[in-house]
Amino acid sequence: MKKTLLTLTTAVALGLFSMYSYAADPIVIKFSHVVAPDTPKGKAAEKFKELAEAKTNGAVKVEVYPSSTLYKDKEEMEALQMGAVQMLAPSLAKFGPLGVKNFEVFDLPYIFRGYDDLHKVTKGEVGASLLAKLEPKGVKGLAYWDNGFKIMSAGKPLKTPEDYKGLKMRIQSSKVIEAQMRALGANPQVLPFGETYQALQTGVVDGTENPPSNLYTQKMHEVQKHATLTNHGYLGYAVITNKAFWDKLPDDVRTSLDEALKESTDFANDIAKAENDKALEAVKASGKTEIHTPTDEETKAMQQALAPVHNEMAERIGKETIDAVYGATGFDPSK
Ligand code: LMR
């Protein structure tokens, strides 16, 4: 009996029981993001934390840092590659600076008719092959999380393409979105998400585009008098990790994290549309932003003005990537 006890004590001291060593020294995953906690991404990150910690019995501790509290857009990518954070969920529009331009296919105007088209890409082979393109950069793509379709906002009504002429529009760091704004005669300005509210408030920029949930949770509606439900483009995320970190995880831990990811991805994609609908209602109820629903004619004029962006950006994105997306959805907006 005495001998067994002694052996047990020694084993524990040496950290031979994995449960014990996990509890004493959990694997920490810092998950940094730039939006508010009360958004589809913010809620999904919290759900991932809850599931990952429960499924690994505390062997993994997930620290979620929302609202750019740890890093802004560009810095968070660098931090992930350096291993200073372990997980991110940047918007698909932010992978160009990493050298993976194919993701900008998601930014092409009017490429998806709705979430059904989108899911044919993100839940299928095309989506998986895009995530695989991150690996040579030391980044592993784990999942796609939905947000929503973007609406345009500014200090003035935006009905026809002419209304955008000369406006300074804040954009994410995507060359496709830059081309889209130029096609409208606007002047695109890349700014980190966390600086957008202030830039709108102080007049550094006149307008922007975002799904309603981002507009509302950043209080942008308080400094944008008009918004138009253009739904001209999609904004969503790739959940990514540092590949070296992920590959070194114990197999059982990685399996549990994969399960946590799968469940939090289903959660994210289930709530995204409702969260955006709710945010739009809240913007309307605030009475601060006048919401315009475009007529069919106005939508046609916008589609026509933005159609050339698909060809213009084909070389940058890769024609085969664009064709693969058209093929997956069965929809080519030029036809
Ligand atoms: C933006 O910069 O507008 C978005 O990418 C923010 C986000 O993460 O939804």
Side-chain angles (χ1 to χ4, degrees):
M1 176 67 186
K2 213 172 164 193
K3 194 167 173 226
T4 322
L5 252 181
L6 256 181
T7 320
L8 259 175
T9 322
T10 319
V12 167
L14 292 173
L16 295 181
F17 289 116
S18 61
M19 285 303 288
Y20 179 83
S21 57
Y22 285 164
D25 197 8
I27 299 166
V28 175
I29 295 184
K30 290 192 172 143
F31 189 146
S32 169
H33 69 82
V34 300
V35 295
D38 192 18
T39 54
K41 177 163 65 179
K43 289 185 176 181
E46 285 301 331
K47 176 61 86 185
F48 173 72
K49 169 186 168 66
E50 181 194 313
L51 291 167
E53 293 181 351
K55 285 179 191 291
T56 60
N57 294 315
V60 168
K61 184 167 178 285
V62 181
E63 295 173 359
V64 180
Y65 297 91
S67 306
S68 310
T69 41
L70 209 51
Y71 297 108
K72 292 183 186 170
D73 302 332
K74 190 167 164 281
E75 300 143 12
E76 67 173 19
M77 282 289 198
E78 289 160 7
L80 185 88
Q81 285 184 293
M82 281 165 20
V85 292
Q86 289 69 39
M87 278 177 82
L88 305 173
S91 101
L92 301 164
K94 292 178 182 166
F95 286 87
L98 193 71
V100 187
K101 300 164 190 154
N102 316 69
F103 277 90
E104 289 177 5
V105 71
F106 288 98
D107 301 327
L108 284 171
Y110 298 106
I111 191 161
F112 304 117
R113 289 163 296 184
Y115 285 101
D116 285 350
D117 277 356
L118 169 77
H119 291 158
K120 286 181 186 148
V121 177
T122 54
K123 296 184 181 177
E125 272 171 35
V126 180
S129 72
L130 284 170
L131 291 181
K133 291 191 191 293
L134 297 169
E135 302 220 353
K137 308 287 171 191
V139 173
K140 185 163 175 60
L142 298 170
Y144 289 98
W145 284 357
D146 289 357
N147 189 346
F149 290 84
K150 295 178 286 187
I151 68 179
M152 294 280 202
S153 65
K156 58 175 267 203
L158 300 170
K159 294 187 177 171
T160 64
E162 289 70 44
D163 294 330
Y164 293 82
K165 284 220 163 70
L167 287 186
K168 279 180 274 163
M169 298 293 280
R170 178 270 165 176
I171 59 162
Q172 308 174 75
S173 57
S174 156
K175 294 286 177 207
V176 170
I177 302 178
E178 192 177 315
Q180 167 205 282
M181 291 301 187
R182 289 204 194 286
L184 294 170
N187 182 2
Q189 315 262 324
V190 176
L191 282 177
F193 184 66
E195 292 174 18
T196 305
Y197 171 84
Q198 209 187 354
L200 290 167
Q201 187 193 32
T202 55
V204 168
V205 289
D206 304 304
T208 190
E209 52 159 32
N210 246 302
S213 149
N214 278 352
L215 181 91
Y216 181 65
T217 53
Q218 294 298 308
K219 300 192 193 318
M220 292 182 204
H221 64 294
E222 293 182 358
V223 289
Q224 294 281 265
K225 286 207 164 50
H226 295 269
T228 300
L229 307 182
T230 43
N231 295 321
H232 59 282
Y234 172 71
L235 190 157
Y237 311 105
V239 183
I240 56 175
T241 186
N242 178 300
K243 185 167 156 36
F245 165 78
W246 198 256
D247 289 347
K248 270 192 233 124
L249 288 172
D251 286 347
D252 56 338
V253 169
R254 200 182 317 102
T255 305
S256 300
L257 292 182
D258 280 336
E259 277 171 29
L261 262 166
K262 198 187 163 313
E263 288 174 37
S264 47
T265 298
D266 289 344
F267 170 83
N269 299 350
D270 281 349
I271 65 166
K273 184 177 182 307
E275 289 287 319
N276 276 294
D277 290 349
K278 208 170 70 186
L280 182 60
E281 287 314 309
V283 172
K284 284 183 186 161
S286 77
K288 297 196 176 216
T289 307
E290 197 168 311
I291 304 288
H292 175 66
T293 304
T295 63
D296 287 351
E297 248 167 55
E298 286 166 359
T299 299
K300 258 190 217 129
M302 286 290 282
Q303 285 169 339
Q304 252 167 27
L306 296 177
V309 176
H310 286 235
N311 271 339
E312 201 186 310
M313 289 289 118
E315 204 180 315
R316 177 176 169 88
I317 297 169
K319 182 88 178 79
E320 60 305 328
T321 299
I322 301 179
D323 285 341
V325 169
Y326 293 164
T329 59
F331 176 61
D332 173 348
S334 71
K335 291 189 178 141

